[in-house]
Amino acid sequence: MKVNILAFGIAKDIFGGPAIDVELFNDATVFNLKFLLEKQYPQLKKLATYMVAVNNEYALDGDTVHERDEIAIIPPVSGG
Amino acid sequence: MKVNILAFGIAKDIFGGPAIDVELFNDATVFNLKFLLEKQYPQLKKLATYMVAVNNEYALDGDTVHERDEIAIIPPVSGG
Amino acid sequence: MNKQIKLSVSTLNVMECVDWVMSPECGGIDVFIGTVRNATKGKTVVRLEFEAYEKMAISELEKIADQASIKWPVQKMLIHHRTGVLQIGEIPVIIAVAAAHRHAAFEACRYIIDTLKQTVPIWKKEIFEDGEVWVAVHP
Amino acid sequence: MNKQIKLSVSTLNVMECVDWVMSPECGGIDVFIGTVRNATKGKTVVRLEFEAYEKMAISELEKIADQASIKWPVQKMLIHHRTGVLQIGEIPVIIAVAAAHRHAAFEACRYIIDTLKQTVPIWKKEIFEDGEVWVAVHP
Protein backbone atom coordinates (compact mmCIF):
# COMPACT_ATOMS: atom_id res chain seq x y z
CA MET A 1 0.00 0.00 0.00
CA LYS A 2 1.06 3.55 -0.59
CA VAL A 3 0.83 5.98 2.35
CA ASN A 4 1.25 9.71 2.33
CA ILE A 5 3.42 11.19 5.09
CA LEU A 6 3.14 14.83 6.14
CA ALA A 7 6.27 16.52 7.42
CA PHE A 8 6.67 19.57 9.67
CA GLY A 9 9.52 21.62 11.03
CA ILE A 10 12.92 20.07 10.51
CA ALA A 11 11.32 16.90 9.07
CA LYS A 12 10.17 19.00 6.13
CA ASP A 13 13.78 19.99 5.51
CA ILE A 14 14.91 16.36 5.78
CA PHE A 15 12.26 15.12 3.35
CA GLY A 16 12.81 18.10 1.06
CA GLY A 17 9.10 18.99 1.14
CA PRO A 18 5.86 19.05 3.14
CA ALA A 19 4.83 15.48 2.19
CA ILE A 20 6.21 12.25 0.72
CA ASP A 21 4.69 8.99 -0.45
CA VAL A 22 6.14 5.70 0.75
CA GLU A 23 5.36 2.14 -0.23
CA LEU A 24 4.54 -0.06 2.80
CA PHE A 25 3.29 -3.64 3.17
CA ASN A 26 -0.27 -4.08 4.47
CA ASP A 27 -0.67 -4.11 8.26
CA ALA A 28 2.65 -2.33 8.65
CA THR A 29 3.19 -0.74 12.07
CA VAL A 30 4.48 2.68 13.03
CA PHE A 31 7.73 0.91 13.90
CA ASN A 32 7.98 -0.51 10.37
CA LEU A 33 7.30 2.92 8.93
CA LYS A 34 9.98 4.58 11.06
CA PHE A 35 12.48 1.88 10.10
CA LEU A 36 11.79 2.44 6.42
CA LEU A 37 11.95 6.24 6.70
CA GLU A 38 15.19 6.16 8.65
CA LYS A 39 16.73 4.00 5.91
CA GLN A 40 15.61 6.40 3.18
CA TYR A 41 16.32 9.56 5.24
CA PRO A 42 19.24 8.77 7.60
CA GLN A 43 19.16 12.35 8.95
CA LEU A 44 15.95 11.46 10.80
CA LYS A 45 18.08 9.43 13.21
CA LYS A 46 20.03 12.55 14.10
CA LEU A 47 16.95 14.06 15.71
CA ALA A 48 16.96 13.65 19.47
CA THR A 49 13.57 12.09 19.02
CA TYR A 50 10.56 12.30 16.79
CA MET A 51 6.98 11.05 16.98
CA VAL A 52 4.54 9.77 14.43
CA ALA A 53 0.95 11.00 14.45
CA VAL A 54 -1.80 8.91 12.89
CA ASN A 55 -5.08 10.72 12.24
CA ASN A 56 -4.05 13.64 14.46
CA GLU A 57 -3.13 11.50 17.47
CA TYR A 58 0.31 10.54 18.69
CA ALA A 59 0.84 6.88 17.73
CA LEU A 60 2.80 4.11 19.43
CA ASP A 61 5.39 1.98 17.65
CA GLY A 62 3.03 -1.01 17.71
CA ASP A 63 0.07 0.79 16.11
CA THR A 64 -0.91 -0.36 12.64
CA VAL A 65 -1.11 2.15 9.80
CA HIS A 66 -3.71 1.97 7.05
CA GLU A 67 -3.78 3.22 3.51
CA ARG A 68 -6.02 6.23 4.07
CA ASP A 69 -4.64 7.27 7.45
CA GLU A 70 -3.35 10.81 7.82
CA ILE A 71 0.21 10.21 8.91
CA ALA A 72 2.60 12.92 10.06
CA ILE A 73 6.17 13.09 11.30
CA ILE A 74 6.36 15.21 14.46
CA PRO A 75 9.89 16.37 15.28
CA PRO A 76 10.50 17.87 18.75
CA VAL A 77 7.90 20.62 19.19
CA SER A 78 8.83 24.19 20.13
CA GLY A 79 5.63 26.20 20.35
CA GLY A 80 4.79 28.74 23.00
CA MET B 1 2.56 62.43 76.24
CA LYS B 2 -0.27 62.64 73.74
CA VAL B 3 -0.12 60.43 70.66
CA ASN B 4 -2.30 60.52 67.60
CA ILE B 5 -3.58 57.17 66.33
CA LEU B 6 -4.75 56.67 62.76
CA ALA B 7 -7.48 54.13 62.16
CA PHE B 8 -8.40 52.23 58.99
CA GLY B 9 -11.07 49.78 57.93
CA ILE B 10 -13.10 48.42 60.78
CA ALA B 11 -10.89 50.22 63.32
CA LYS B 12 -12.24 53.47 61.95
CA ASP B 13 -15.76 52.28 62.74
CA ILE B 14 -14.70 51.20 66.23
CA PHE B 15 -13.02 54.54 67.00
CA GLY B 16 -15.83 56.45 65.35
CA GLY B 17 -13.43 58.32 63.08
CA PRO B 18 -10.17 58.22 61.13
CA ALA B 19 -7.97 59.26 64.09
CA ILE B 20 -8.03 59.59 67.86
CA ASP B 21 -5.71 61.11 70.44
CA VAL B 22 -4.69 59.11 73.50
CA GLU B 23 -2.71 60.06 76.58
CA LEU B 24 0.24 57.70 77.20
CA PHE B 25 3.13 57.75 79.69
CA ASN B 26 6.61 58.39 78.27
CA ASP B 27 8.47 55.31 76.95
CA ALA B 28 5.19 53.42 76.60
CA THR B 29 5.36 50.37 74.38
CA VAL B 30 3.04 49.14 71.64
CA PHE B 31 1.80 46.62 74.20
CA ASN B 32 0.87 49.42 76.62
CA LEU B 33 -0.88 51.27 73.83
CA LYS B 34 -2.91 48.22 72.80
CA PHE B 35 -3.87 47.58 76.44
CA LEU B 36 -5.11 51.14 76.80
CA LEU B 37 -7.01 51.11 73.52
CA GLU B 38 -8.67 47.79 74.26
CA LYS B 39 -9.86 49.21 77.59
CA GLN B 40 -11.31 52.30 75.90
CA TYR B 41 -12.62 50.43 72.85
CA PRO B 42 -13.48 46.88 73.94
CA GLN B 43 -14.68 46.02 70.41
CA LEU B 44 -11.02 45.98 69.34
CA LYS B 45 -10.68 42.70 71.20
CA LYS B 46 -13.37 41.19 69.02
CA LEU B 47 -11.11 41.46 65.97
CA ALA B 48 -9.40 38.17 65.20
CA THR B 49 -6.18 40.15 65.31
CA TYR B 50 -4.88 43.60 64.59
CA MET B 51 -1.44 45.14 64.21
CA VAL B 52 0.06 48.47 65.13
CA ALA B 53 2.19 50.34 62.62
CA VAL B 54 4.72 52.89 63.81
CA ASN B 55 6.07 55.24 61.15
CA ASN B 56 4.72 53.04 58.36
CA GLU B 57 6.31 49.83 59.64
CA TYR B 58 4.63 46.97 61.47
CA ALA B 59 5.66 47.27 65.12
CA LEU B 60 6.23 44.60 67.77
CA ASP B 61 4.58 44.66 71.17
CA GLY B 62 7.88 45.57 72.80
CA ASP B 63 8.63 48.57 70.58
CA THR B 64 8.55 51.96 72.27
CA VAL B 65 6.30 54.70 70.88
CA HIS B 66 7.27 58.37 70.85
CA GLU B 67 5.28 61.55 70.84
CA ARG B 68 5.73 62.43 67.19
CA ASP B 69 5.51 58.89 65.78
CA GLU B 70 2.92 58.20 63.12
CA ILE B 71 0.91 55.42 64.74
CA ALA B 72 -1.79 53.43 62.99
CA ILE B 73 -4.12 50.58 63.87
CA ILE B 74 -4.05 47.93 61.17
CA PRO B 75 -7.00 45.54 61.31
CA PRO B 76 -6.82 42.37 59.19
CA VAL B 77 -6.02 43.50 55.64
CA SER B 78 -8.13 42.49 52.64
CA GLY B 79 -6.57 44.04 49.57
CA GLY B 80 -6.13 42.35 46.22
CA MET C 1 15.08 45.13 38.36
CA ASN C 2 12.66 47.72 37.25
CA LYS C 3 9.42 48.21 39.16
CA GLN C 4 6.30 50.35 39.03
CA ILE C 5 3.99 50.51 42.02
CA LYS C 6 0.83 52.58 42.07
CA LEU C 7 -2.39 53.13 44.01
CA SER C 8 -5.09 54.68 41.90
CA VAL C 9 -8.63 55.99 42.36
CA SER C 10 -9.37 55.57 38.65
CA THR C 11 -9.91 52.48 36.49
CA LEU C 12 -6.86 50.22 36.12
CA ASN C 13 -5.73 49.64 32.55
CA VAL C 14 -4.60 46.10 31.72
CA MET C 15 -3.00 46.99 28.40
CA GLU C 16 -0.99 49.85 29.89
CA CYS C 17 0.36 47.42 32.51
CA VAL C 18 1.28 44.74 29.99
CA ASP C 19 2.93 47.30 27.72
CA TRP C 20 4.97 48.64 30.61
CA VAL C 21 6.50 45.28 31.53
CA MET C 22 7.00 44.04 27.98
CA SER C 23 10.56 44.23 26.74
CA PRO C 24 12.59 42.49 24.02
CA GLU C 25 14.81 40.84 26.63
CA CYS C 26 11.89 39.01 28.21
CA GLY C 27 10.47 35.72 27.07
CA GLY C 28 7.51 35.48 29.39
CA ILE C 29 5.04 37.74 31.15
CA ASP C 30 2.64 36.62 33.81
CA VAL C 31 -0.24 38.90 34.67
CA PHE C 32 -2.64 38.49 37.55
CA ILE C 33 -5.88 40.44 37.36
CA GLY C 34 -8.23 40.54 40.29
CA THR C 35 -11.87 41.21 39.56
CA VAL C 36 -14.83 42.14 41.73
CA ARG C 37 -17.10 39.15 42.10
CA ASN C 38 -20.85 39.64 42.05
CA ALA C 39 -21.41 37.46 45.13
CA THR C 40 -19.75 36.39 48.38
CA LYS C 41 -20.95 33.15 49.94
CA GLY C 42 -24.08 33.32 47.83
CA LYS C 43 -24.94 36.88 48.83
CA THR C 44 -25.20 39.49 46.07
CA VAL C 45 -22.53 42.18 46.24
CA VAL C 46 -23.66 45.62 45.04
CA ARG C 47 -20.25 47.28 45.01
CA LEU C 48 -16.91 47.36 46.83
CA GLU C 49 -14.94 50.07 48.55
CA PHE C 50 -11.19 49.88 49.01
CA GLU C 51 -9.41 51.95 51.60
CA ALA C 52 -5.63 52.12 51.80
CA TYR C 53 -3.13 53.45 54.32
CA GLU C 54 -1.44 54.85 51.29
CA LYS C 55 2.12 55.63 52.34
CA MET C 56 2.53 52.35 54.20
CA ALA C 57 0.79 50.36 51.46
CA ILE C 58 3.26 51.68 48.89
CA SER C 59 6.16 50.91 51.18
CA GLU C 60 4.91 47.34 51.82
CA LEU C 61 4.38 46.80 48.09
CA GLU C 62 7.92 47.99 47.44
CA LYS C 63 9.19 45.46 49.96
CA ILE C 64 7.25 42.65 48.33
CA ALA C 65 8.59 43.52 44.89
CA ASP C 66 12.13 43.74 46.23
CA GLN C 67 11.77 40.36 47.94
CA ALA C 68 10.42 38.81 44.75
CA SER C 69 13.36 40.16 42.77
CA ILE C 70 15.75 38.56 45.27
CA LYS C 71 13.97 35.22 45.07
CA TRP C 72 13.55 35.02 41.28
CA PRO C 73 15.37 36.45 38.25
CA VAL C 74 12.74 38.89 37.00
CA GLN C 75 13.20 41.95 34.84
CA LYS C 76 10.15 44.11 35.32
CA MET C 77 7.42 44.08 37.94
CA LEU C 78 4.31 46.19 38.13
CA ILE C 79 1.69 46.40 40.86
CA HIS C 80 -1.37 48.64 40.44
CA HIS C 81 -4.07 48.65 43.10
CA ARG C 82 -7.38 50.51 43.11
CA THR C 83 -8.80 52.51 45.97
CA GLY C 84 -12.28 53.99 46.34
CA VAL C 85 -15.57 52.65 45.01
CA LEU C 86 -15.54 49.71 42.56
CA GLN C 87 -18.50 48.30 40.66
CA ILE C 88 -18.95 44.59 39.88
CA GLY C 89 -16.54 43.49 37.14
CA GLU C 90 -14.04 46.26 37.87
CA ILE C 91 -10.40 45.46 38.58
CA PRO C 92 -9.01 45.98 42.11
CA VAL C 93 -5.50 44.80 41.30
CA ILE C 94 -3.16 44.10 38.41
CA ILE C 95 0.22 42.47 38.90
CA ALA C 96 2.49 41.99 35.90
CA VAL C 97 5.90 40.35 35.93
CA ALA C 98 8.28 39.96 33.00
CA ALA C 99 11.20 37.56 33.09
CA ALA C 100 13.54 35.85 30.68
CA HIS C 101 12.05 32.53 31.73
CA ARG C 102 8.40 31.90 32.47
CA HIS C 103 8.81 30.02 35.74
CA ALA C 104 10.31 33.06 37.42
CA ALA C 105 7.44 35.20 36.12
CA PHE C 106 4.80 32.79 37.42
CA GLU C 107 6.45 32.32 40.82
CA ALA C 108 7.08 36.00 41.39
CA CYS C 109 3.57 37.02 40.32
CA ARG C 110 1.97 34.50 42.64
CA TYR C 111 4.27 35.44 45.50
CA ILE C 112 3.32 39.10 45.07
CA ILE C 113 -0.45 38.58 45.16
CA ASP C 114 -0.25 36.05 48.01
CA THR C 115 1.92 38.34 50.11
CA LEU C 116 -0.04 41.47 49.19
CA LYS C 117 -3.16 39.86 50.60
CA GLN C 118 -1.37 39.17 53.87
CA THR C 119 0.65 42.29 54.59
CA VAL C 120 -0.38 45.34 52.58
CA PRO C 121 -2.61 47.77 54.53
CA ILE C 122 -5.56 47.90 52.16
CA TRP C 123 -9.09 47.10 53.28
CA LYS C 124 -12.09 45.98 51.30
CA LYS C 125 -15.66 46.73 52.29
CA GLU C 126 -18.40 44.71 50.63
CA ILE C 127 -21.68 46.54 50.18
CA PHE C 128 -24.76 44.34 50.01
CA GLU C 129 -28.35 45.41 49.43
CA ASP C 130 -29.05 45.22 53.16
CA GLY C 131 -25.78 46.26 54.74
CA GLU C 132 -22.01 46.33 54.46
CA VAL C 133 -19.03 44.56 55.97
CA TRP C 134 -15.28 45.01 56.18
CA VAL C 135 -13.77 41.85 54.75
CA ALA C 136 -11.26 40.04 56.95
CA VAL C 137 -9.90 37.18 54.90
CA HIS C 138 -6.61 36.81 56.76
CA PRO C 139 -7.32 36.96 60.47
CA MET D 1 -16.04 25.14 31.58
CA ASN D 2 -15.90 27.51 28.72
CA LYS D 3 -12.90 27.51 26.41
CA GLN D 4 -11.64 29.34 23.35
CA ILE D 5 -8.73 27.93 21.36
CA LYS D 6 -7.33 29.61 18.28
CA LEU D 7 -4.36 29.58 15.92
CA SER D 8 -3.92 32.86 14.14
CA VAL D 9 -1.67 34.33 11.46
CA SER D 10 -2.39 37.87 12.66
CA THR D 11 -1.29 39.78 15.76
CA LEU D 12 -2.64 38.44 19.03
CA ASN D 13 -4.66 40.90 21.07
CA VAL D 14 -4.08 40.78 24.84
CA MET D 15 -7.10 42.92 25.73
CA GLU D 16 -9.45 40.84 23.62
CA CYS D 17 -8.23 37.72 25.46
CA VAL D 18 -8.61 39.25 28.91
CA ASP D 19 -12.07 40.57 28.05
CA TRP D 20 -13.15 37.14 26.84
CA VAL D 21 -12.26 35.35 30.08
CA MET D 22 -13.44 38.08 32.43
CA SER D 23 -16.78 37.40 34.08
CA PRO D 24 -18.57 38.59 37.21
CA GLU D 25 -18.40 35.09 38.73
CA CYS D 26 -14.59 35.08 38.66
CA GLY D 27 -12.33 36.52 41.28
CA GLY D 28 -9.00 36.00 39.59
CA ILE D 29 -7.53 35.87 36.11
CA ASP D 30 -4.05 34.68 35.30
CA VAL D 31 -2.65 35.55 31.91
CA PHE D 32 0.56 34.23 30.41
CA ILE D 33 1.99 36.15 27.49
CA GLY D 34 4.93 34.79 25.54
CA THR D 35 7.10 37.31 23.75
CA VAL D 36 9.76 36.97 21.09
CA ARG D 37 13.15 37.57 22.65
CA ASN D 38 15.77 39.51 20.72
CA ALA D 39 18.52 36.97 21.44
CA THR D 40 19.09 33.25 22.02
CA LYS D 41 22.25 32.26 23.84
CA GLY D 42 23.72 35.67 23.10
CA LYS D 43 22.99 35.47 19.38
CA THR D 44 20.78 38.19 17.87
CA VAL D 45 17.47 36.90 16.56
CA VAL D 46 16.12 38.75 13.50
CA ARG D 47 12.65 37.20 13.46
CA LEU D 48 10.80 33.96 14.17
CA GLU D 49 8.61 31.69 12.12
CA PHE D 50 6.01 29.41 13.66
CA GLU D 51 4.65 26.44 11.79
CA ALA D 52 1.73 24.38 13.10
CA TYR D 53 0.17 21.07 12.18
CA GLU D 54 -3.05 22.95 12.61
CA LYS D 55 -5.75 20.32 13.03
CA MET D 56 -3.67 18.26 15.45
CA ALA D 57 -2.43 21.36 17.30
CA ILE D 58 -6.02 22.44 17.95
CA SER D 59 -6.94 18.96 19.10
CA GLU D 60 -3.93 18.76 21.47
CA LEU D 61 -4.75 22.22 22.86
CA GLU D 62 -8.33 21.10 23.47
CA LYS D 63 -7.02 18.09 25.39
CA ILE D 64 -4.78 20.28 27.53
CA ALA D 65 -7.61 22.66 28.37
CA ASP D 66 -9.91 19.74 29.19
CA GLN D 67 -7.24 18.19 31.44
CA ALA D 68 -6.71 21.52 33.20
CA SER D 69 -10.43 21.85 33.83
CA ILE D 70 -10.47 18.39 35.41
CA LYS D 71 -7.51 19.21 37.62
CA TRP D 72 -8.61 22.68 38.80
CA PRO D 73 -11.94 24.48 39.23
CA VAL D 74 -11.65 27.04 36.44
CA GLN D 75 -14.40 28.91 34.65
CA LYS D 76 -12.96 30.17 31.41
CA MET D 77 -9.79 29.27 29.54
CA LEU D 78 -8.39 30.82 26.41
CA ILE D 79 -5.38 29.78 24.33
CA HIS D 80 -4.33 31.83 21.31
CA HIS D 81 -1.19 30.88 19.39
CA ARG D 82 0.42 32.65 16.44
CA THR D 83 1.65 31.04 13.27
CA GLY D 84 3.72 32.56 10.48
CA VAL D 85 6.38 35.26 10.72
CA LEU D 86 6.85 37.14 14.02
CA GLN D 87 9.07 40.15 14.61
CA ILE D 88 10.95 40.80 17.87
CA GLY D 89 8.57 41.87 20.62
CA GLU D 90 5.53 40.20 19.02
CA ILE D 91 3.44 37.71 20.95
CA PRO D 92 3.54 34.01 19.99
CA VAL D 93 1.11 32.88 22.66
CA ILE D 94 -1.50 34.16 25.11
CA ILE D 95 -3.08 31.92 27.72
CA ALA D 96 -5.78 33.34 29.97
CA VAL D 97 -7.57 31.49 32.74
CA ALA D 98 -10.37 32.81 34.93
CA ALA D 99 -11.39 31.10 38.15
CA ALA D 100 -13.30 31.90 41.30
CA HIS D 101 -10.06 31.49 43.24
CA ARG D 102 -6.66 32.63 42.12
CA HIS D 103 -4.70 29.47 42.89
CA ALA D 104 -6.71 27.48 40.36
CA ALA D 105 -6.10 30.19 37.75
CA PHE D 106 -2.33 30.21 38.36
CA GLU D 107 -2.00 26.42 38.42
CA ALA D 108 -4.10 25.87 35.31
CA CYS D 109 -2.34 28.63 33.34
CA ARG D 110 1.06 27.23 34.16
CA TYR D 111 -0.01 23.68 33.41
CA ILE D 112 -1.29 24.79 30.01
CA ILE D 113 1.89 26.57 28.90
CA ASP D 114 4.16 23.83 30.29
CA THR D 115 2.20 21.08 28.54
CA LEU D 116 1.75 23.08 25.35
CA LYS D 117 5.52 23.31 25.03
CA GLN D 118 5.80 19.53 25.35
CA THR D 119 2.98 18.13 23.26
CA VAL D 120 1.43 20.60 20.82
CA PRO D 121 2.69 20.21 17.24
CA ILE D 122 3.94 23.73 16.65
CA TRP D 123 7.50 24.47 15.60
CA LYS D 124 9.56 27.60 15.95
CA LYS D 125 12.32 28.58 13.54
CA GLU D 126 14.78 31.23 14.69
CA ILE D 127 16.19 33.38 11.93
CA PHE D 128 19.60 34.91 12.64
CA GLU D 129 21.58 37.29 10.45
CA ASP D 130 23.70 34.40 9.20
CA GLY D 131 21.32 31.47 9.15
CA GLU D 132 18.30 29.83 10.67
CA VAL D 133 17.48 26.92 12.94
CA TRP D 134 14.44 24.89 14.01
CA VAL D 135 14.32 25.14 17.77
CA ALA D 136 14.15 21.86 19.68
CA VAL D 137 13.72 22.72 23.31
CA HIS D 138 12.10 19.45 24.38
CA PRO D 139 14.03 16.59 22.84
Side-chain angles (χ1 to χ4, degrees), chain A residues 7-17 43, chain D residues 125 132 134:
Chain A
F8 295 94
I10 198 166
K12 211 164 59 174
D13 296 346
I14 293 173
F15 291 169
Q43 278 188 285
Chain D
K125 189 195 262 181
E132 52 183 56
W134 286 106

Side-chain angles (χ1 to χ4, degrees), chain A residues 9 12 57-58 70 78 80, chain D residues 51 53 63 81 119 122 124:
Chain A
K12 211 164 59 174
E57 297 282 344
Y58 285 108
E70 182 172 314
S78 50
Chain D
E51 180 181 52
Y53 179 16
K63 282 185 201 168
H81 202 296
T119 66
I122 299 177
K124 174 165 68 176

Side-chain angles (χ1 to χ4, degrees), chain B residues 6-13 48-49 53 55-58 70-80, chain C residues 50-53 55-56 59-60 63 81 92-93 116-124 134-136 138-139:
Chain B
L6 303 175
F8 296 94
I10 197 166
K12 212 165 57 175
D13 296 347
T49 180
N55 300 325
N56 295 291
E57 297 282 344
Y58 285 108
E70 182 173 313
I71 298 169
I73 301 302
I74 312 284
V77 301
S78 50
Chain C
F50 280 93
E51 180 180 52
Y53 180 14
K55 215 166 29 153
M56 185 175 170
S59 131
E60 290 293 321
K63 283 185 201 167
H81 202 296
V93 64
L116 182 159
K117 284 176 176 271
Q118 287 163 5
T119 66
V120 177
I122 299 177
W123 297 271
K124 175 166 66 177
W134 286 106
V135 178
H138 295 277

